[in-house]
């Protein structure tokens, strides 16, 4: 990342491949990186531990199988210098994969806009959700103090945990900025995704 004033938290959630060793190697090379090794407990517990260890004013989440533009965090930091936003929502590029093969690709774009009040933001929430912008966590920047003050956590579910986290957070977002800049590369493998699997319970 071109922006360097950051803390990087890598949560190894009981990996069974070489991820654990790779994380440790990166931690030795860069003192901004801290690694947390834990027994496999799912994405919610991994993110919650990351939140607990975070020292920054703002939080950005990333999934292990996606990619960032090199300027992503610099772009977010620039926006935060313009205003004390409680939430920033960015556009992203969605790649549908079949294993290593790219099936299709499309940008998911949000308008450049500032919502100055919570009421104004919530009034437009449905239209933003309809564009597939509001459920996911990795196209956003959050304020750490809001999460901690209101005890907002990811519930221990294997699906839709991000939606419940957001419903709790959005109630406290009084100044929200949306940007048409594409700042995240999301890879979706339909065959492997939890959202496309059936669970009898």
């Amino acid at each position: 990342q071109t922006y360097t004033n950051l803390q990087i938290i890598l949560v190894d959630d009981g990996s069974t491949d070489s991820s654990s060793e790779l994380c440790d190697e990166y931690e030795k090379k860069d003192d901004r990186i801290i690694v947390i090794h834990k027994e496999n407990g799912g994405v919610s517990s991994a993110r919650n531990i990351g939140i607990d260890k975070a020292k920054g004013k703002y939080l950005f989440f990333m999934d292990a199988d996606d990619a960032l533009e090199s300027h992503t965090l610099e772009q977010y930091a620039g926006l935060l210098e313009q205003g004390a936003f409680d939430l920033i929502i960015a556009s992203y590029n969605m790649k549908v994969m079949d294993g290593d093969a790219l099936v299709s690709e499309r940008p998911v774009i949000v308008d450049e806009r500032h919502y100055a009040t919570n009421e104004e933001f919530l009034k437009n929430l449905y239209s933003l959700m309809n564009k597939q912008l509001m459920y996911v966590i990795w196209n956003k920047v959050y304020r750490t103090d809001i999460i901690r003050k209101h005890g907002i956590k990811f519930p221990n579910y294997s699906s839709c945990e991000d939606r419940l986290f957001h419903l709790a957070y959005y109630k406290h977002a009084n100044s929200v900025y949306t940007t048409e800049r594409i700042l995240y590369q999301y890879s979706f493998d339909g065959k492997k995704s939890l959202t496309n699997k059936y669970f009898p319970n």
Side-chain angles (χ1 to χ4, degrees):
Q1 290 294 301
T2 52
Y3 183 79
T4 58
N5 183 23
L6 65 138
Q7 175 194 35
I8 301 168
I9 302 170
L10 304 178
V11 183
D12 168 31
D13 187 38
S15 62
T16 56
D17 55 13
S18 60
S19 297
S20 177
E21 291 79 10
L22 285 170
C23 287
D24 290 339
E25 285 178 23
Y26 278 111
E27 186 179 35
K28 291 173 185 174
K29 293 176 184 176
D30 193 328
D31 59 11
R32 298 172 303 170
I33 297 175
I34 68 165
V35 176
I36 301 164
H37 297 287
K38 61 184 286 295
E39 291 184 11
N40 181 257
V43 65
S44 291
S45 67
R47 290 173 184 158
N48 288 335
I49 285 177
I51 291 171
D52 291 341
K53 297 291 184 182
K55 296 179 179 177
K57 185 176 180 181
Y58 297 97
L59 276 174
F60 173 81
F61 296 98
M62 182 175 179
D63 285 347
D65 51 354
D66 296 332
L68 287 185
E69 305 296 339
S70 62
H71 60 262
T72 289
L73 298 181
E74 184 178 16
Q75 294 281 319
Y76 277 128
L79 290 170
L80 289 166
E81 287 173 4
Q82 297 174 29
F85 305 122
D86 298 329
L87 178 68
I88 300 178
I89 303 159
S91 304
Y92 63 93
N93 193 43
M94 181 173 180
K95 298 179 179 181
V96 179
M97 310 295 294
D98 183 358
D100 293 331
L102 179 65
V103 177
S104 65
E105 186 174 2
R106 70 178 176 90
V108 180
I109 305 295
V110 61
D111 296 333
E112 202 81 23
R113 181 172 176 179
H114 178 219
Y115 297 92
T117 67
N118 184 255
E119 182 181 21
E120 182 186 2
F121 169 57
L122 293 182
K123 190 184 294 183
N124 286 275
L125 193 58
Y126 178 76
S127 63
L128 291 168
M129 284 183 166
N130 225 19
K131 295 176 183 176
Q132 294 183 299
L133 289 157
M134 303 309 292
Y135 301 129
V136 297
I137 61 161
W138 32 252
N139 69 329
K140 301 174 181 68
V141 164
Y142 310 84
R143 270 182 45 189
T144 311
D145 61 343
I146 289 178
I147 291 173
R148 291 194 174 137
K149 178 182 178 181
H150 300 284
I152 301 170
K153 295 283 188 179
F154 288 93
N156 190 26
Y157 298 147
S158 58
S159 183
C160 295
E161 79 294 331
D162 44 4
R163 301 183 187 209
L164 296 170
F165 174 88
H166 282 134
L167 288 174
Y169 188 90
Y170 293 160
K171 293 187 290 186
H172 308 290
N174 296 311
S175 179
V176 179
Y177 194 87
T178 61
T179 178
E180 61 189 8
R181 304 175 207 182
I182 294 176
L183 299 180
Y184 197 85
Q185 300 290 327
Y186 170 53
S187 296
F188 174 76
D189 190 330
K191 291 180 179 177
K192 294 180 181 177
S193 173
L194 282 173
T195 56
N196 281 358
K197 291 183 179 177
Y198 171 74
F199 296 94
N201 61 346

